[in-house]
Amino acid sequence: MIIVMKQKVSAEQVDAVSQRIRSLGYEPHIIHGESRDVIGAVGDERGKMVLQSLESMAGVEKVVPILKPYKLASREVCPEPSQVELAPGVVIGGAELIVMAGPCSVESEEQIVFTAQAVKRAGARVLRGGAFKPRTSPYSFQGMEEEGLKLLDLARQETGLPIVTEVVNPRDVELVARYADILQVGARNVQNFALLKMLGQLDKPVLLKRGMATTIQEYLMSAEYILSEGNRRVVLCERGIRTFETATRNTLDISAVPVLKEQTHLPVVIDPSHATGHAQLVPSMCYAGVAAGCDGLIVEVHPTPETAASDGPQSLRPAEFADMMLKLKRFAEVAERTLPQVGGC
Amino acid sequence: MIIVMKQKVSAEQVDAVSQRIRSLGYEPHIIHGESRDVIGAVGDERGKMVLQSLESMAGVEKVVPILKPYKLASREVCPEPSQVELAPGVVIGGAELIVMAGPCSVESEEQIVFTAQAVKRAGARVLRGGAFKPRTSPYSFQGMEEEGLKLLDLARQETGLPIVTEVVNPRDVELVARYADILQVGARNVQNFALLKMLGQLDKPVLLKRGMATTIQEYLMSAEYILSEGNRRVVLCERGIRTFETATRNTLDISAVPVLKEQTHLPVVIDPSHATGHAQLVPSMCYAGVAAGCDGLIVEVHPTPETAASDGPQSLRPAEFADMMLKLKRFAEVAERTLPQVGGC
Amino acid sequence: MIIVMKQKVSAEQVDAVSQRIRSLGYEPHIIHGESRDVIGAVGDERGKMVLQSLESMAGVEKVVPILKPYKLASREVCPEPSQVELAPGVVIGGAELIVMAGPCSVESEEQIVFTAQAVKRAGARVLRGGAFKPRTSPYSFQGMEEEGLKLLDLARQETGLPIVTEVVNPRDVELVARYADILQVGARNVQNFALLKMLGQLDKPVLLKRGMATTIQEYLMSAEYILSEGNRRVVLCERGIRTFETATRNTLDISAVPVLKEQTHLPVVIDPSHATGHAQLVPSMCYAGVAAGCDGLIVEVHPTPETAASDGPQSLRPAEFADMMLKLKRFAEVAERTLPQVGGC
Amino acid sequence: MIIVMKQKVSAEQVDAVSQRIRSLGYEPHIIHGESRDVIGAVGDERGKMVLQSLESMAGVEKVVPILKPYKLASREVCPEPSQVELAPGVVIGGAELIVMAGPCSVESEEQIVFTAQAVKRAGARVLRGGAFKPRTSPYSFQGMEEEGLKLLDLARQETGLPIVTEVVNPRDVELVARYADILQVGARNVQNFALLKMLGQLDKPVLLKRGMATTIQEYLMSAEYILSEGNRRVVLCERGIRTFETATRNTLDISAVPVLKEQTHLPVVIDPSHATGHAQLVPSMCYAGVAAGCDGLIVEVHPTPETAASDGPQSLRPAEFADMMLKLKRFAEVAERTLPQVGGC
């Protein structure tokens, strides 16, 4: 931490701050500047987060953090990229680009099995589908809940695809973990710390979506909640942030991909469906994500978007998804990623 | 809903959209414009939220909602302002301006009782204090949990002030409700729908904070989750939104006060401490909030901010709080609000 | 400046950075931290702005500025609040709250003279009115230009009110200055540095609006452009920033008022009309602004908003303005401001 | 336009609005909804922009625009993508991906000529370099002005590369146009309409950067200012928007590429240097831009970023640029774009 003093403060005030720094277990180093003093506090601030309160001391103008506040998520602790096994034989973070696809919500056996078969044929390695849906309106479809999980299980049996599905209530973690291969935390729950802690105690990979207004630093702190409880299988997912622009549902923060790859060893996935909100924008954002260096994609696919219970306008039809995958494979190759088994629709 | 068609679409496409509108239970009205057709869908869209999927139909450019999607929170359903009883004799939404004050976190018996007495003397009607703390970092102080609730109970006994405290996990709702008079939902949980639903089944008032990236419409939908479960005692709280500006922790959206008063009957409170993040900015934001028409304030007060376990820099000292209350009383009078029992420190 | 080095850099890299700091005229102070070194560069960085380029040197992680980059606008250079004479006898920044009012655009002699008389009667001390209008669309009304300036002059003769009007092109500064008492820089031109420099050479007060995406620090740097050219009569104006919220045209950053009052000696005005975009929200934002400590207001008033050439929906009618002024006077008194001559409509 | 009436308004109020619509030259169509009336106003609203003022009429809740407000920039008027000739033989918007590169500021003959030769060798088709620099601080380097233009001219003679350089003052348009092949409008001037109008009367291509807080619709309206004055050679440039995220200088809005390609026929370029602010993020954003479908890139390259007069931290060194170009060529091929003449450094 750097403690910046106000102009013309007394030596007593600088002393008091130095003593307080020392009493908190840090070593103060005073730099006498031209117009003000600056005090460096040497020590590992990440474990305690207490120096910020110095801002209330007399004579202090501001406290500037130097170290990043996360540890286990950082490249400093783990310099090499992590490879996370999502299911037997499905590893993200390595050479293979992992595409997860499926409908926003599970709606029926026919819908989910049909979609699972279609996305598998086109090259997807994981099936997505929501059973517990966090919806803005209490009057909107809230998901099929356990019934939906059972249908996902069925689709998995039919296709062999592992499934990723969202959990929204800490109470349901155990239930969802019984069915799911990968548990998803949605954007709205990125700082639902009770949920994160429970997932940290699980032996299943977690797909943690970035919140709409979460900075990258806060996002990695949320990952740290899971990691610090013992679960090291965390996959990050950029899904658009909230900005003033209304042409898209959110703004895909594509530069978050290289920023995250620089700061953390965790794999990074892009969700172009939620980011843009419009199906016709999804393919180009898939290509951009891969070109930017992401490890995977999660894409909404629905057999008949115009009748979807949720998020129809942002869902690709199976044929559109298959076309996208064919072109994606070529971009993936330039990005030095493999994308096996890509087929037509 | 208004369905805007693309330019030069065929009559068949317009027909198909009209039929689909009808099949969903609405009546289509086609307006032939100069360059494109527009179809109005007449019916109560709030209960279903299904028309948005029309955007996936051929020839449709966009779907524009007309009605607000909330009902019970709206002025249309309940034209008069609601008065919410927070505790016997403490009513918000009427003539009295209700000030809630106390530390960010409960830290010790001495701290919470001393603060409770001080804020009561200065005119606060409710004691705030966190026992379950949602913290960005897993390494930060997470609150005293049930021990903290017991200390709040003690402070209530000492002062008679009802207490408001945060609940972050649906699992803890019952526990927190045993101690608290008012349950607070923090900004990070504004779309934790599992939590909102549980609170909707409670017979206790709920202080629902706006999220950092929650639009006013989404915010009222979150209130609707609580209301639609049966609990009508919801108090709203604007606490700053996330913007590009870094001089303040968040940006207090002061115009949210008159906007909310126009759109909903629920009482509206301002939290200037979290909004600004700096104690010296808090008093002027309290005055501004009251001048803008809010029904109450929630303010952080700590006996020694420089040693606070959390949020020290934004906490007023008791004497500063008392000074603020004296001036606030005069602004409240001009705003036609009463603020009884305001005393010195 | 604080230069934060990466982890595990060589002593040679630290040396190279230190030498470069010295060669740029600063004194390096190295702090050896637990996990990395930090170098303080002592010297007055505000006049040069060159240290940021150190970020490109090997081993440097980031460069953190400590000093605020503005001088003449700062409280450090000028500790007391500035009082700016807008016209003979009209001083802003002192005890009197200055209200500027009038239509968005000058449309006709009748319109501007009638409005000027009405706002004067209600207590306004300055007449606003646009002759050069920066409009988003090239097909919208662009203002009456010099003809509009002449009508403003006429209204000034009729009422004695000094006039504030916008200038958008450096070429027009001289022309506008011939007619106007105060020259306004609109939000879109807050970083039109060519315009700011010309205004800095003028002997007329300047009302400088904050841009929609201008941080407070950048805003004060724009003021510094005018001040550093010699013109010390600068008045700041918060008029709403761009956020994700769409219920209001922009989001009035009310906490900018105390932040600016803390950082600069320049007077601060609030524009609630552009900030909210809705006339019915304007009065409460006027009250909030005064309670927050602003030195003045600029409010749009139009005799018939439903026929206004621009910004009708955010314009108060004269009777609404007069009502607002009556209540404003009472808030102003509590804020220890005078508001003389407030009359009915 | 759609005019949404309030609930329970009188038939007289609906009549009054209808009559006003008619008097403005539109045809009203009333839809009687379940809870309120909605009036469609049929006519070409783009040329007039006057219906918004209806919001001030009694009984009107809001006015919702349906048509996009720009014409000449739209795909509706010009369905095919425009190819813009930047200089003889250098055409953007067609099969060739056009890369513009060079330093932020022209600093010396040696610097600009050396950089021009290096970027040409690596495959750039246009040389960028600032002579008039809009800087946040009045104390920062403001550019070499005409001297800089002469050095750009020299570099053009040495390399044959056409030059793009910024103009910030309408007064300088003629001067800059004497030297430049392409005139650039910077982000801060995107709504400097006086400047846009002058550029609209020029016979030179214009590179118009999006502002930090400019919506896509507003951006296209700014392009419309140039187009409507007669100059059809406009190239758009996404360069990052301002958001809450601070890990990057701005947030590159990559989905703006397909959105713009859908809405306008004008070519679209990406500026990853200003968007990210960090050189190490630039290559992946170049790749992402091309994968997303952009027509060109503008990239900052400086021989020694650590001594650059401006924007050093975001500048690639020539060797880094050459490496990037080699990989870019492969992404361009998948995107069906050619990138000829790519060489090593």
Side-chain angles (χ1 to χ4, degrees):
Chain A
M1 289 279 174
I2 299 291
I3 291 88
V4 181
M5 302 298 293
K6 290 181 180 158
Q7 275 197 315
K8 299 171 196 161
V9 299
S10 67
E12 285 71 30
Q13 288 179 331
V14 176
D15 268 7
V17 173
S18 296
Q19 280 174 32
R20 177 105 182 114
I21 288 170
R22 208 170 271 122
S23 76
L24 290 166
Y26 298 81
E27 193 54 40
H29 288 256
I30 303 174
I31 300 176
H32 299 290
E34 290 220 335
S35 65
R36 65 185 71 221
D37 290 346
V38 161
I39 309 177
V42 171
D44 185 352
E45 67 208 47
R46 290 173 303 182
K48 308 170 207 174
M49 304 280 149
V50 294
L51 288 173
Q52 209 68 43
S53 65
L54 294 177
E55 226 170 270
S56 301
M57 291 191 74
V60 174
E61 181 161 313
K62 60 177 173 181
V63 175
V64 182
I66 295 298
L67 287 190
K68 304 219 164 52
Y70 44 87
K71 293 181 191 177
L72 303 173
S74 77
R75 283 270 183 177
E76 295 176 359
V77 165
C78 178
E80 290 308 305
S82 289
Q83 300 202 3
V84 172
E85 186 173 61
L86 300 174
V90 184
V91 175
I92 193 164
E96 190 185 347
L97 184 80
I98 299 296
V99 178
M100 316 180 189
C104 178
S105 302
V106 180
E107 295 167 14
S108 70
E109 177 181 333
E110 189 189 4
Q111 175 239 24
I112 191 67
V113 172
F114 175 87
T115 309
Q117 290 167 332
V119 300
K120 183 185 184 187
R121 226 160 27 233
R125 295 297 308 273
V126 177
L127 175 65
R128 63 149 290 153
F132 292 90
K133 298 299 305 170
R135 303 300 300 279
T136 303
S137 166
Y139 309 124
S140 295
F141 175 61
Q142 305 274 317
M144 294 180 77
E145 307 196 347
E146 188 166 2
E147 188 55 34
L149 296 174
K150 287 178 180 163
L151 295 179
L152 283 168
D153 182 36
L154 198 68
R156 173 172 47 196
Q157 290 171 35
E158 293 289 326
T159 59
L161 291 180
I163 57 183
V164 57
T165 196
E166 183 166 356
V167 59
V168 299
N169 191 334
R171 187 196 61 190
D172 301 328
V173 166
E174 205 190 329
L175 171 70
V176 175
R178 267 209 304 281
Y179 293 93
D181 299 279
I182 308 149
L183 282 85
Q184 177 182 317
V185 179
R188 292 175 180 84
N189 284 309
V190 68
Q191 293 193 318
N192 185 335
F193 303 120
L195 182 63
L196 299 182
K197 283 180 196 170
M198 283 205 64
L199 293 170
Q201 291 156 14
L202 214 65
D203 186 26
K204 292 259 181 175
V206 176
L207 180 70
L208 175 65
K209 289 200 167 184
R210 182 181 182 187
M212 281 191 295
T214 311
T215 63
I216 284 175
Q217 182 166 306
E218 289 167 347
Y219 185 28
L220 290 175
M221 293 304 284
S222 288
E224 191 87 7
Y225 262 95
I226 303 172
L227 296 166
S228 65
E229 293 285 332
N231 187 349
R232 300 301 167 96
R233 289 198 281 167
V234 175
V235 178
L236 302 174
C237 178
E238 158 62 29
R239 45 76 73 211
I241 58 174
R242 184 153 268 181
T243 70
F244 63 83
E245 179 56 65
T246 56
T248 44
R249 182 170 167 170
N250 290 114
T251 298
L252 180 66
D253 180 5
I254 189 82
S255 57
V257 175
V259 169
L260 285 168
K261 298 304 276 181
E262 193 176 75
Q263 299 192 2
T264 184
H265 53 92
L266 300 171
V268 179
V269 159
I270 287 284
D271 175 350
S273 307
H274 283 90
T276 63
H278 298 287
Q280 79 272 22
L281 305 175
V282 167
S284 56
M285 292 302 99
C286 290
Y287 310 147
V290 169
C294 73
D295 299 294
L297 297 167
I298 181 163
V299 180
E300 291 196 349
V301 177
H302 194 286
T304 51
E306 62 277 15
T307 68
S310 57
D311 284 351
Q314 72 196 33
S315 298
L316 294 178
R317 294 166 206 276
E320 293 164 342
F321 177 70
D323 285 349
M324 184 277 287
M325 290 294 279
L326 286 170
K327 191 161 182 184
L328 186 70
K329 189 177 169 64
R330 299 184 56 215
F331 279 111
E333 278 159 13
V334 182
E336 286 157 44
R337 300 279 190 170
T338 60
L339 192 61
Q341 300 171 297
V342 171
C345 61
Chain B
M1 289 279 175
I2 299 292
I3 291 87
V4 181
M5 302 300 291
K6 289 181 180 159
Q7 276 197 316
K8 299 170 194 160
V9 300
S10 67
E12 285 71 29
Q13 289 179 331
V14 176
D15 268 7
V17 173
S18 295
Q19 279 174 34
R20 175 104 182 114
I21 288 170
R22 209 170 269 121
S23 78
L24 289 166
Y26 298 80
E27 192 55 39
H29 288 256
I30 304 174
I31 300 176
H32 298 291
E34 291 221 335
S35 65
R36 66 186 71 222
D37 288 347
V38 161
I39 310 176
V42 172
D44 185 353
E45 69 208 44
R46 290 173 305 182
K48 309 171 209 174
M49 304 279 148
V50 293
L51 288 173
Q52 208 69 43
S53 66
L54 295 177
E55 225 170 271
S56 300
M57 292 190 74
V60 174
E61 180 161 313
K62 60 177 174 180
V63 175
V64 182
I66 295 298
L67 286 190
K68 305 221 161 54
Y70 45 88
K71 293 181 189 175
L72 301 173
S74 77
R75 284 270 183 177
E76 295 176 0
V77 165
C78 178
E80 291 307 306
S82 288
Q83 301 201 3
V84 172
E85 186 174 61
L86 301 174
V90 184
V91 175
I92 194 165
E96 190 185 345
L97 184 81
I98 299 295
V99 178
M100 316 181 189
C104 178
S105 301
V106 180
E107 295 167 14
S108 70
E109 178 181 333
E110 190 188 3
Q111 175 240 22
I112 191 67
V113 172
F114 175 88
T115 309
Q117 290 167 334
V119 302
K120 184 186 183 186
R121 227 164 20 236
R125 294 299 306 275
V126 176
L127 175 66
R128 65 149 288 153
F132 292 90
K133 298 300 306 169
R135 303 300 301 277
T136 304
S137 168
Y139 308 124
S140 295
F141 175 61
Q142 305 275 318
M144 295 180 76
E145 306 194 350
E146 188 166 2
E147 188 55 33
L149 296 175
K150 286 178 180 162
L151 295 179
L152 283 168
D153 182 36
L154 198 67
R156 173 171 48 196
Q157 290 171 34
E158 293 289 325
T159 59
L161 291 181
I163 57 183
V164 57
T165 196
E166 184 166 355
V167 58
V168 298
N169 190 334
R171 186 197 61 190
D172 301 328
V173 165
E174 205 190 329
L175 172 70
V176 175
R178 267 211 302 282
Y179 291 94
D181 299 279
I182 308 149
L183 282 84
Q184 177 182 317
V185 179
R188 291 176 180 84
N189 285 309
V190 68
Q191 293 192 318
N192 185 335
F193 303 121
L195 183 63
L196 299 183
K197 283 181 195 169
M198 284 206 62
L199 292 170
Q201 291 156 15
L202 214 65
D203 186 25
K204 292 258 180 175
V206 176
L207 180 70
L208 175 66
K209 289 199 167 185
R210 182 181 181 186
M212 281 191 295
T214 312
T215 62
I216 284 175
Q217 183 165 306
E218 289 168 347
Y219 185 28
L220 290 175
M221 293 304 283
S222 288
E224 191 87 6
Y225 263 94
I226 303 173
L227 297 166
S228 65
E229 293 285 332
N231 187 349
R232 301 300 168 96
R233 288 197 282 165
V234 176
V235 177
L236 303 173
C237 178
E238 158 61 31
R239 46 75 73 212
I241 58 174
R242 185 153 268 181
T243 69
F244 62 84
E245 180 57 64
T246 57
T248 43
R249 182 169 168 170
N250 290 116
T251 297
L252 180 67
D253 181 6
I254 189 82
S255 57
V257 175
V259 169
L260 285 168
K261 297 305 276 180
E262 194 175 76
Q263 298 192 1
T264 183
H265 52 91
L266 299 171
V268 179
V269 159
I270 286 284
D271 175 350
S273 307
H274 283 89
T276 64
H278 297 288
Q280 78 273 21
L281 304 176
V282 167
S284 55
M285 292 303 98
C286 290
Y287 310 147
V290 170
C294 73
D295 298 294
L297 297 167
I298 181 161
V299 180
E300 291 196 349
V301 177
H302 194 287
T304 52
E306 62 277 15
T307 69
S310 58
D311 284 353
Q314 72 197 34
S315 298
L316 293 179
R317 294 166 206 277
E320 293 164 341
F321 177 69
D323 285 351
M324 185 276 287
M325 290 293 280
L326 286 170
K327 192 161 182 184
L328 186 71
K329 188 177 170 65
R330 298 183 56 213
F331 279 112
E333 278 159 12
V334 182
E336 287 159 42
R337 299 281 189 169
T338 60
L339 192 62
Q341 299 172 297
V342 171
C345 59
Chain C
M1 288 279 176
I2 299 291
I3 291 88
V4 181
M5 302 299 292
K6 290 181 180 157
Q7 277 197 316
K8 299 170 196 161
V9 299
S10 67
E12 285 71 30
Q13 289 178 331
V14 176
D15 268 7
V17 173
S18 296
Q19 279 174 32
R20 175 104 182 113
I21 288 171
R22 209 169 269 123
S23 78
L24 289 166
Y26 298 82
E27 192 55 38
H29 288 255
I30 304 174
I31 299 176
H32 299 291
E34 292 219 334
S35 65
R36 66 185 70 222
D37 290 345
V38 161
I39 309 175
V42 171
D44 184 352
E45 69 209 43
R46 291 173 303 182
K48 309 171 208 173
M49 305 279 149
V50 293
L51 288 173
Q52 208 69 42
S53 65
L54 295 176
E55 227 170 89
S56 300
M57 290 190 76
V60 174
E61 180 161 313
K62 61 177 171 179
V63 174
V64 182
I66 295 298
L67 287 190
K68 304 217 163 53
Y70 44 88
K71 292 182 190 176
L72 302 174
S74 77
R75 284 269 184 179
E76 296 176 0
V77 164
C78 179
E80 292 306 306
S82 288
Q83 301 201 2
V84 172
E85 186 173 62
L86 300 174
V90 184
V91 175
I92 193 163
E96 189 185 347
L97 183 81
I98 299 296
V99 178
M100 314 181 191
C104 178
S105 302
V106 180
E107 295 166 13
S108 69
E109 177 180 335
E110 190 188 3
Q111 175 240 25
I112 192 67
V113 172
F114 176 87
T115 309
Q117 289 166 335
V119 301
K120 183 184 184 188
R121 229 163 21 235
R125 293 298 306 274
V126 176
L127 174 66
R128 65 149 289 154
F132 292 90
K133 299 299 306 169
R135 303 301 300 279
T136 303
S137 166
Y139 309 124
S140 295
F141 174 61
Q142 305 274 318
M144 295 180 75
E145 308 196 348
E146 188 167 0
E147 188 56 32
L149 296 175
K150 287 179 180 163
L151 295 179
L152 284 168
D153 182 37
L154 197 67
R156 173 171 49 196
Q157 290 172 34
E158 293 290 325
T159 59
L161 290 181
I163 57 182
V164 57
T165 196
E166 184 166 355
V167 59
V168 297
N169 190 333
R171 185 196 62 190
D172 301 328
V173 166
E174 203 190 332
L175 171 70
V176 176
R178 267 211 302 281
Y179 292 94
D181 298 279
I182 308 150
L183 282 84
Q184 177 182 318
V185 178
R188 291 177 181 83
N189 285 309
V190 68
Q191 293 192 319
N192 184 335
F193 303 120
L195 183 62
L196 299 181
K197 283 181 196 170
M198 282 205 65
L199 293 170
Q201 291 156 13
L202 214 64
D203 186 25
K204 292 259 182 174
V206 175
L207 180 71
L208 176 65
K209 290 199 166 185
R210 183 181 181 186
M212 282 190 296
T214 312
T215 64
I216 284 175
Q217 182 166 308
E218 289 168 346
Y219 186 26
L220 290 176
M221 293 303 282
S222 288
E224 191 87 7
Y225 262 95
I226 303 173
L227 296 167
S228 66
E229 293 284 331
N231 187 349
R232 301 299 167 93
R233 289 197 281 166
V234 176
V235 178
L236 303 173
C237 178
E238 158 63 31
R239 46 77 72 209
I241 58 174
R242 184 154 267 182
T243 70
F244 62 84
E245 179 57 65
T246 56
T248 43
R249 180 169 169 171
N250 291 114
T251 297
L252 180 66
D253 180 4
I254 190 82
S255 57
V257 175
V259 168
L260 285 168
K261 297 304 275 182
E262 195 175 74
Q263 299 191 2
T264 184
H265 53 91
L266 299 171
V268 179
V269 159
I270 287 284
D271 175 350
S273 307
H274 283 89
T276 63
H278 297 288
Q280 78 273 23
L281 304 175
V282 167
S284 56
M285 292 303 98
C286 289
Y287 309 147
V290 169
C294 73
D295 298 295
L297 297 167
I298 181 162
V299 180
E300 290 195 349
V301 177
H302 194 285
T304 53
E306 62 277 15
T307 68
S310 58
D311 284 352
Q314 71 198 33
S315 298
L316 294 178
R317 292 168 207 276
E320 293 164 341
F321 177 69
D323 285 350
M324 184 278 286
M325 290 293 280
L326 286 169
K327 192 161 182 184
L328 185 70
K329 187 176 170 65
R330 297 185 55 215
F331 280 112
E333 278 159 12
V334 182
E336 287 158 42
R337 299 281 189 169
T338 59
L339 193 61
Q341 300 173 296
V342 171
C345 61
Chain D
M1 288 277 176
I2 299 291
I3 290 88
V4 181
M5 302 299 292
K6 291 182 179 158
Q7 277 197 314
K8 299 169 194 162
V9 299
S10 66
E12 284 72 29
Q13 288 178 331
V14 177
D15 269 8
V17 174
S18 296
Q19 279 174 33
R20 176 105 182 112
I21 289 170
R22 210 170 270 122
S23 77
L24 289 167
Y26 298 82
E27 191 56 38
H29 288 256
I30 304 175
I31 300 176
H32 299 291
E34 290 221 335
S35 66
R36 66 185 70 223
D37 289 347
V38 161
I39 310 176
V42 171
D44 184 353
E45 69 208 45
R46 291 174 303 183
K48 309 171 207 174
M49 306 278 150
V50 293
L51 288 172
Q52 209 68 42
S53 65
L54 294 176
E55 227 171 89
S56 301
M57 290 191 76
V60 174
E61 181 161 313
K62 59 178 173 178
V63 174
V64 182
I66 295 298
L67 287 190
K68 304 218 163 54
Y70 44 88
K71 293 181 190 177
L72 302 174
S74 77
R75 283 271 184 177
E76 296 176 359
V77 164
C78 177
E80 290 308 305
S82 288
Q83 301 201 2
V84 172
E85 186 173 62
L86 300 173
V90 184
V91 175
I92 193 163
E96 189 185 346
L97 183 80
I98 300 296
V99 179
M100 314 182 190
C104 178
S105 301
V106 180
E107 295 167 12
S108 69
E109 177 181 334
E110 189 188 3
Q111 175 240 24
I112 192 67
V113 172
F114 176 87
T115 309
Q117 289 167 334
V119 302
K120 184 184 183 188
R121 226 157 29 230
R125 295 297 307 275
V126 176
L127 174 67
R128 64 149 290 155
F132 292 89
K133 299 299 305 171
R135 303 300 301 278
T136 304
S137 166
Y139 308 124
S140 296
F141 175 61
Q142 305 274 318
M144 294 180 76
E145 308 196 347
E146 188 167 1
E147 187 57 30
L149 296 175
K150 287 179 180 164
L151 295 179
L152 284 168
D153 182 36
L154 197 67
R156 173 172 49 196
Q157 291 171 33
E158 294 289 326
T159 59
L161 292 180
I163 56 183
V164 58
T165 196
E166 184 166 355
V167 58
V168 298
N169 189 333
R171 186 197 60 190
D172 301 328
V173 167
E174 205 190 331
L175 172 70
V176 176
R178 266 209 304 280
Y179 292 94
D181 298 280
I182 308 149
L183 282 83
Q184 177 182 317
V185 179
R188 292 176 180 84
N189 284 309
V190 67
Q191 293 191 318
N192 184 336
F193 302 120
L195 182 62
L196 300 181
K197 282 181 197 170
M198 282 205 65
L199 293 170
Q201 292 157 12
L202 214 64
D203 185 24
K204 293 258 180 174
V206 176
L207 180 70
L208 176 65
K209 289 199 165 183
R210 182 182 181 187
M212 283 190 296
T214 312
T215 63
I216 284 175
Q217 182 166 306
E218 289 167 347
Y219 186 27
L220 290 175
M221 293 304 282
S222 288
E224 191 87 8
Y225 263 95
I226 303 173
L227 297 166
S228 65
E229 293 284 331
N231 187 348
R232 300 302 167 93
R233 289 197 281 166
V234 176
V235 178
L236 302 174
C237 179
E238 158 61 31
R239 46 77 70 209
I241 57 174
R242 184 153 267 181
T243 71
F244 62 84
E245 179 56 64
T246 57
T248 43
R249 180 170 168 169
N250 291 114
T251 297
L252 180 66
D253 180 5
I254 189 82
S255 56
V257 175
V259 169
L260 285 169
K261 297 305 275 182
E262 195 176 74
Q263 298 191 2
T264 184
H265 52 90
L266 300 171
V268 178
V269 160
I270 287 284
D271 175 351
S273 308
H274 283 89
T276 63
H278 298 288
Q280 78 272 24
L281 304 175
V282 167
S284 56
M285 292 303 98
C286 289
Y287 310 148
V290 169
C294 72
D295 298 295
L297 297 167
I298 181 162
V299 180
E300 290 195 349
V301 177
H302 193 286
T304 52
E306 62 277 16
T307 67
S310 57
D311 284 352
Q314 72 197 34
S315 298
L316 294 179
R317 292 168 207 276
E320 294 164 341
F321 177 70
D323 285 350
M324 184 278 287
M325 290 294 280
L326 286 170
K327 192 160 183 185
L328 185 70
K329 187 176 170 66
R330 299 184 55 215
F331 280 112
E333 278 159 13
V334 183
E336 287 158 43
R337 299 280 190 170
T338 59
L339 192 62
Q341 300 173 297
V342 171
C345 59

